[in-house]
Amino acid sequence: MGKSILITGGVRSGKSRLAEDMTLGLGRRAIYIATAQAHDAEMADRIARHQARRGPEWRTVAEPLQLARTLRDTDGDAPRLVDCLTLWLSNLMLSGADWDGACAELCALIPRQSAPVVFVTNEVGAGIVPENALARAFRDAAGLVNQSIARSCDELWLCVAGHPIKVK
């Protein structure tokens, strides 16, 4: 079975860079599974900056919704990096998909992967209570998804101000 790692933390905490380093530490070539969608110019710029940071050792697979299927399809020799679970959850919720079922499917799949997989997610529940129902539903769902994925993974890391802390 492949090693599975979840990296969480706040915005700009260093999660993605840590995940990229860890993933390449598991193999010379890697697959970057990107869940972001460029719905506006600012997000397109963010995606471009992430892509520019990665070198030729990365193959990118864009998948905003069907994460379990993509992990099954890419399982093999190369380690995979999924960046990020909170964008994936947002995509599922906004499309009306069954995010809880998708999370359960993903959790069941993680221990059966033969190649390593590193997940990035955001800690969204440490701030104030959001003012609207959708934001509160997202915050709650993100907390539940993070707990479920953390239970399914071999390791859990927390990034704080660019400093990683191994939790599990």
Side-chain angles (χ1 to χ4, degrees):
M1 290 193 314
K3 185 178 201 173
S4 55
I5 301 168
L6 176 63
I7 300 171
T8 189
V11 174
R12 298 283 181 243
S13 63
K15 303 178 304 289
S16 292
R17 285 188 193 266
L18 174 64
E20 291 167 7
D21 291 346
M22 282 186 163
T23 305
L24 288 178
L26 298 167
R28 292 177 304 170
R29 301 200 47 82
I31 300 169
Y32 191 103
I33 302 172
T35 62
Q37 295 177 304
H39 292 296
D40 57 40
E42 185 271 337
M43 191 60 170
D45 184 56
R46 284 178 180 261
I47 292 169
R49 283 194 315 265
H50 262 253
Q51 289 172 338
R53 186 173 70 216
R54 297 191 299 270
E57 62 273 15
W58 291 96
R59 177 171 67 98
T60 301
V61 176
E63 182 48 64
L65 297 169
Q66 300 297 323
L67 191 49
R69 181 187 71 205
T70 301
L71 283 177
R72 277 192 297 274
D73 291 349
T74 59
D75 197 15
D77 294 330
R80 284 84 38 89
L81 167 57
V82 175
D83 197 354
C84 81
L85 292 175
T86 41
L87 284 173
W88 171 68
L89 174 63
S90 178
N91 297 338
L92 291 171
M93 291 180 78
L94 292 174
S95 72
D98 174 15
W99 64 265
D100 193 39
C103 179
E105 179 185 15
L106 183 59
C107 288
L109 181 68
I110 290 170
R112 297 193 318 259
Q113 294 292 285
S114 61
V117 61
V118 177
F119 296 95
V120 175
T121 193
N122 290 285
E123 278 301 315
V124 298
I128 62 172
V129 176
E131 55 140 320
N132 67 74
L134 178 59
R136 288 189 298 274
F138 173 77
R139 177 207 52 191
D140 293 348
L144 295 172
V145 167
N146 287 348
Q147 287 183 52
S148 297
I149 301 297
R151 278 192 300 273
S152 298
C153 284
D154 300 314
E155 293 182 16
L156 171 62
W157 290 78
L158 172 66
C159 274
V160 179
H163 290 73
I165 302 164
K166 188 172 184 179
V167 177
K168 163 183 149 174

